[in-house]
Amino acid sequence: MAFRRRNKSYPFFSQEFLIQNHADIVFSLVIFILIGLMFEATAKTAILFIQPQYNVTTLSPEGEVTLYHYGWKDFATILFYFFIVIILHAVVQEYLLDKVNRRLHLSKSKNTKFNESGQLCVFHLVSSVWSFYILITEGYLLHPSSLWENYPHVHLRFQVKFFYLTQLAYWLHALPELYFQKVRKEEIPRQLQYICLYLLHISAAYLLNLSRVGLVLLFLQYLSEVFFHIARLFYFTDENHQKMFDLWAVSFVFTRMVTLTLMFLAVGFGLARAENQGLDWEMGNFNTVLIRMTVLLLVCLTQSWLLWKFIRFQLRRWREFRHEQAVRKKAATKQTLRPLKRDSREEKDISSP
């Protein structure tokens, strides 16, 4: 299974060999784990990688329900889907983005940004639809108070736990992709910032049993990012397409407002009024004043930093727009003055003996 067209062969285990064949190597590891399911001696170990662990069967009005909680075995599951995401990344790059790039003939810098936005657009679109489906089926949108009631939310349904594991796997895979995609050095700090922020916030929501609030916030964030990366893709195809950035600006401001409001409502007021105050590692209860204030401070600082970047981005766009308008106005003025100068010269020629 070859994901990249090979124009040149490289020595085994060389840097270029690993970069060019990393998806094929990872695909071989996935096949190796799947083959382990075929044998009784290795089936239990293979299941550890493929299926979420720590399931508990409980009785409910609907009947027997299987719920899950987290533990150290989740690292194995995250590792397996870390490999899966690398393969999917290569598929999207080879069969979608590279074909579009060949037609657009973009510069090297724009090509890198186009690939970044293309990959993130696909991921954010899938994740926003997936998270919205979970919010609807779990009833979190129809009953907002369920976001903080009955805390701690230790036991999760399969789709909720699987969603968080795949989210962690995706953002972890983004770290080695910086090397595999040969991202320029000046672009690495910017990408590392949002990768680490996603990992920090998703891990905090998962480990502190704030999975319900985290689902809503991730849905809003991913939906806003979809608009941004679609606008970016349109801009790279034609720089005159900038109206999508206005739609993204509205969704961005709305997302920041809803995020802060929801966090203060759920963590600042909802959990503060809960009866089970205190720290209990065995029960998964982290409802203390210090942890609540730390979570709120983390979210507020992140949202403030995002707003600061947004304001700088909008100011830069405004300056570029003003500069383009001034250049166009100057060019139009020159075009109108040329006929006047020509007419004045003709009048002089006619009036002269």
Side-chain angles (χ1 to χ4, degrees):
M1 182 177 182
F3 291 102
R4 297 271 182 173
R5 296 181 180 177
R6 274 85 175 156
N7 298 323
K8 184 179 179 181
S9 59
Y10 297 96
F12 284 99
F13 303 111
S14 64
Q15 181 179 358
E16 291 297 329
F17 177 84
L18 292 175
I19 292 174
Q20 191 178 58
N21 300 279
H22 72 276
D24 295 328
I25 296 171
V26 169
F27 183 76
S28 302
L29 293 174
V30 171
I31 294 298
F32 179 77
I33 294 174
L34 292 176
I35 290 175
L37 293 173
M38 302 171 59
F39 304 97
E40 185 176 356
T42 57
K44 291 183 179 180
T45 305
I47 284 291
L48 186 67
F49 289 90
I50 300 170
Q51 182 179 336
Q53 303 299 306
Y54 303 105
N55 56 315
V56 177
T57 302
T58 60
L59 294 176
S60 68
E62 303 173 357
E64 289 188 354
V65 178
T66 302
L67 302 175
Y68 296 81
H69 59 91
Y70 64 78
W72 66 268
K73 294 180 181 179
D74 290 342
F75 287 109
T77 311
I78 292 173
L79 179 64
F80 178 78
Y81 290 100
F82 170 88
F83 294 152
I84 295 295
V85 172
I86 289 179
I87 297 172
L88 294 177
H89 186 113
V91 170
V92 172
Q93 186 67 43
E94 173 68 21
Y95 295 102
L96 180 61
L97 298 179
D98 285 350
K99 291 183 178 180
V100 176
N101 282 329
R102 294 188 195 103
R103 295 183 179 182
L104 295 177
H105 304 289
L106 299 173
S107 63
K108 189 174 181 180
S109 60
K110 285 188 176 181
N111 187 21
T112 302
K113 294 179 180 179
F114 183 88
N115 290 334
E116 178 193 1
S117 288
Q119 293 285 349
L120 290 175
C121 183
V122 173
F123 169 73
H124 286 137
L125 181 61
V126 172
S127 296
S128 59
V129 173
W130 188 5
S131 58
F132 181 72
Y133 172 78
I134 295 175
L135 292 174
I136 293 296
T137 54
E138 296 294 330
Y140 298 153
L141 292 181
L142 298 178
H143 303 89
S145 60
S146 63
L147 298 177
W148 60 84
E149 288 181 349
N150 300 321
Y151 179 84
H153 307 134
V154 178
H155 296 101
L156 310 173
R157 292 185 181 269
F158 173 83
Q159 60 179 354
V160 178
K161 176 165 183 174
F162 189 62
F163 176 81
Y164 272 96
L165 294 181
T166 52
Q167 293 296 308
L168 291 171
Y170 180 87
W171 291 111
L172 284 172
H173 113 281
L175 295 173
E177 284 295 341
L178 297 176
Y179 171 74
F180 294 141
Q181 297 299 321
K182 295 182 178 180
V183 177
R184 295 184 304 171
K185 291 183 179 180
E186 56 268 22
E187 287 288 325
I188 291 177
R190 179 185 62 83
Q191 295 192 30
L192 277 177
Q193 285 178 350
Y194 67 74
I195 291 172
C196 294
L197 281 175
Y198 274 115
L199 284 173
L200 177 61
H201 286 75
I202 294 172
S203 301
Y206 185 62
L207 297 176
L208 296 178
N209 295 316
L210 296 170
S211 56
R212 299 181 182 181
V213 180
L215 268 172
V216 179
L217 298 184
L218 282 175
F219 166 70
L220 294 171
Q221 176 65 21
Y222 287 158
L223 190 62
S224 174
E225 289 296 304
V226 167
F227 292 127
F228 173 71
H229 290 291
I230 290 177
R232 211 176 177 203
L233 292 174
F234 276 112
Y235 176 77
F236 290 138
T237 56
D238 186 358
E239 293 186 357
N240 294 323
H241 289 154
Q242 297 193 14
K243 292 184 179 180
M244 283 294 296
F245 283 109
D246 297 330
L247 179 60
W248 164 71
V250 174
S251 66
F252 181 89
V253 175
F254 175 77
T255 301
R256 305 285 79 76
M257 293 174 60
V258 175
T259 298
L260 291 173
T261 303
L262 183 61
M263 284 302 298
F264 277 102
L265 182 63
V267 179
F269 294 97
L271 293 182
R273 297 181 179 181
E275 296 180 358
N276 52 347
Q277 302 283 334
L279 181 63
D280 191 341
W281 293 92
E282 294 183 359
M283 296 297 296
N285 185 14
F286 302 96
N287 191 9
T288 65
V289 177
L290 179 61
I291 294 178
R292 288 200 305 269
M293 294 300 295
T294 303
V295 171
L296 287 175
L297 181 62
L298 174 64
V299 173
C300 289
L301 288 176
T302 303
Q303 300 306 309
S304 301
W305 179 72
L306 291 174
L307 280 171
W308 171 244
K309 288 188 63 178
F310 173 78
I311 292 171
R312 290 180 61 187
F313 175 77
Q314 294 297 331
L315 288 175
R316 186 173 68 250
R317 281 189 64 208
W318 180 75
R319 284 194 296 266
E320 291 176 356
F321 177 76
R322 291 291 299 272
H323 178 69
E324 290 176 1
Q325 290 293 324
V327 171
R328 290 176 183 177
K329 188 176 180 180
K330 189 175 181 180
T333 305
K334 287 183 178 180
Q335 289 178 358
T336 54
L337 288 176
R338 284 175 183 175
L340 293 175
K341 291 180 178 179
R342 190 179 305 156
D343 293 340
S344 62
R345 288 174 183 174
E346 291 177 355
E347 288 179 358
K348 287 182 180 180
D349 293 340
I350 294 172
S351 59
S352 62

